Amino acid sequence: MGMIGGSLEAFIGAVHRRGSQLDGEIELVCGAFSSSAEKSKATGAALYLEPSRVYGSYEEMILKEKALPEGERMDFVSIVTPNHLHFPAAKMALENGFHVVCDKPATLNLEEAKELKKIIEASGLIFALTHNYTGYPMIKEAKHLVDSGELGEIRKVIVEYPQGWLIDLVEATGQKQAAWRTDPTRCGAAGAIGDIGTHAENLAEYITGLHIEELCADLTIFVDGRQLDDDGNILIHYNNGARGVLHCSQICNGEENDLNIRVYGSKAGIVWHQMDPNTLIIKSRNGGSRTIRTNVGSLSAQAQAHTRQPAGHPEGYVETFANIYRNFAFALRARWEGKEQDPLYDFPGIDEGIKGMAFIENVVRSSRDNTNKWTKFEI
């Protein structure tokens, strides 16, 4: 693996590195870790990389790695930059023969995401998107329960993602993460919706298999001086007639990272909280409430394939990235060996990336239109 972005000052780059190396399937061999050549070199040194394979730009890395013998060069790139660099970095990597893992959202806007899909298809290479929350074992179990009909016809989906870290104008203090995540030139058209709302939308669609037909959105900027939304509330109509509520916010004072989802069907409902990820609650009128736990009892093959720890040991945030990277590595190996990838080891790709960018654009359009609030979901 070669990494683009993820210097010592970054948050998500370190998470990707830890996750990618958890199974011994992937080795970090090179990187262009910052737009500053000095910071890139310092990061490479801290990671004990060969100095000659620590580059000053991703363009330099891609071209110089391509020139190395096939058995020595990187096999794929991991892109962990701010959003505005996802498309150009992925495009250049793919066009020079390298597979790609990219942090979400896929691109800066929907137009770029659609163009990226064309590039991926033309290259014939593998692209993974780290919507990591789909990697939890209990999320695999929740999807299995829906797919197998245990919940019956899905009628109601409530997904929430409250955080509290942006209750003040943190971006004005020089805090790097806040600075780019609230800057439309680097983050895109939406703030909280793009940063965490897309995770909520992706999680709901992954578990239920439903697609948004139309939505009604209300975005707010609560903190004076901020350029992008820090709170979003959305009503959703799904393609099977189900109704949904999606709430995400980064100004919920005291909240940490409480992504949670409730799905209710004609037979039963399920409840899951990211801050207690080993637990899935199944509810029904006649059966009461039943708690199932990771690696306890007879869980689905999907849940078991993504479980790493003995019962009672939390399957954590880093492990969700590890599951995506491991499954991606399995897909690469299957490709090299001329085999089909086992569908049990799934991971998000460019289609999920396009849906996420379309979600952002439709939500922003609905929020700005005070005459026709209900917006047909267009891709």
Side-chain angles (χ1 to χ4, degrees):
M1 176 175 83
M3 179 166 276
I4 299 173
S7 73
L8 296 177
E9 297 178 353
F11 156 63
I12 204 66
V15 175
H16 278 254
R17 286 192 290 271
R18 293 174 191 134
S20 67
Q21 295 174 56
L22 207 57
D23 293 288
E25 294 285 343
I26 294 168
E27 179 187 5
L28 178 67
V29 295
C30 62
F33 300 104
S34 172
S35 56
S36 160
E38 183 179 340
K39 289 181 181 178
S40 183
K41 292 291 184 184
T43 302
L47 297 172
Y48 304 104
L49 293 182
E50 171 61 41
S52 65
R53 298 185 73 181
V54 181
Y55 303 99
S57 69
Y58 72 81
E59 295 94 340
E60 179 191 11
M61 182 179 81
I62 290 169
L63 294 178
K64 287 192 174 179
E65 287 292 314
K66 184 180 180 181
L68 293 174
E70 187 173 352
E72 297 178 20
R73 70 172 76 115
M74 65 180 181
D75 295 307
F76 74 96
V77 298
S78 172
I79 301 171
V80 294
T81 64
N83 304 348
H84 70 296
L85 292 174
H86 289 184
F87 176 75
K91 178 178 185 292
M92 185 173 182
L94 291 161
E95 290 178 343
N96 282 276
F98 295 108
H99 306 273
V100 172
V101 174
C102 186
D103 199 48
K104 54 66 57 189
T107 54
L108 188 67
N109 54 52
L110 181 57
E111 182 182 359
E112 285 185 350
K114 290 179 177 179
E115 181 62 25
L116 184 58
K117 181 172 182 176
K118 294 177 183 176
I119 295 168
I120 293 166
E121 290 175 342
S123 72
L125 299 172
I126 301 173
F127 177 89
L129 189 69
T130 53
H131 270 300
N132 64 291
Y133 296 108
T134 61
Y136 278 111
M138 285 293 98
I139 293 303
K140 303 296 185 185
E141 185 69 15
K143 177 175 173 57
H144 167 73
L145 291 172
V146 172
D147 290 346
S148 62
E150 292 290 324
L151 272 61
E153 179 189 4
I154 302 304
R155 294 173 173 172
K156 183 81 172 182
V157 181
I158 303 168
V159 59
E160 303 173 301
Y161 201 153
Q163 295 177 336
W165 71 293
L166 291 180
I167 57 170
D168 302 308
L169 198 65
V170 184
E171 55 267 41
T173 68
Q175 211 267 30
K176 184 176 179 180
Q177 293 300 315
W180 79 257
R181 292 176 193 273
T182 58
D183 177 2
T185 65
R186 290 182 285 171
C187 183
I193 283 292
D195 190 15
I196 60 176
T198 49
H199 272 308
E201 178 273 327
N202 175 259
L203 189 69
E205 181 164 316
Y206 181 76
I207 291 174
T208 66
L210 300 179
H211 304 285
I212 300 172
E213 282 202 339
E214 59 181 356
L215 54 79
C216 175
D218 175 35
L219 301 185
T220 305
I221 300 174
F222 275 101
V223 177
D224 289 341
R226 182 160 290 153
Q227 299 182 73
L228 295 172
D229 58 278
D230 47 29
D231 183 84
N233 301 278
I234 304 159
L235 299 176
I236 295 171
H237 290 170
Y238 287 104
N239 60 309
N240 75 330
R243 297 301 191 248
V245 178
L246 188 154
H247 144 67
C248 72
S249 182
Q250 293 176 315
I251 50 85
C252 289
N253 207 321
E255 290 290 352
E256 298 173 45
N257 199 66
D258 192 18
L259 172 62
N260 66 87
I261 187 166
R262 288 165 277 169
V263 180
Y264 299 103
S266 55
K267 294 181 180 179
I270 53 174
V271 178
W272 179 82
H273 283 257
Q274 197 268 157
M275 290 177 65
D276 183 16
N278 277 30
T279 299
L280 182 67
I281 300 171
I282 305 173
K283 300 183 175 187
S284 68
R285 182 175 60 188
N286 297 325
S289 181
R290 177 167 63 96
T291 297
I292 60 175
R293 297 273 294 164
T294 301
N295 215 4
V296 177
S298 244
L299 299 182
S300 64
Q302 291 89 336
Q304 292 178 44
H306 293 84
T307 298
R308 298 162 174 280
Q309 308 296 341
H313 296 72
E315 297 280 346
Y317 180 70
V318 170
E319 284 91 333
T320 64
F321 284 87
N323 281 333
I324 290 176
Y325 273 98
R326 180 202 61 180
N327 294 358
F328 177 81
F330 286 172
L332 282 184
R333 180 170 290 112
R335 170 74 63 88
W336 295 333
E337 295 175 354
K339 299 176 182 177
E340 291 293 323
Q341 162 74 340
D342 186 339
L344 194 64
Y345 300 102
D346 64 337
F347 54 85
I350 189 57
D351 289 336
E352 287 82 359
I354 289 173
K355 182 63 71 68
M357 297 314 304
F359 176 72
I360 292 170
E361 294 203 0
N362 281 275
V363 165
V364 170
R365 182 156 52 94
S366 170
S367 183
R368 288 175 177 171
D369 189 342
N370 291 318
T371 304
N372 302 298
K373 292 300 292 183
W374 281 100
T375 299
K376 274 288 184 187
F377 194 87
E378 297 177 353
I379 297 181

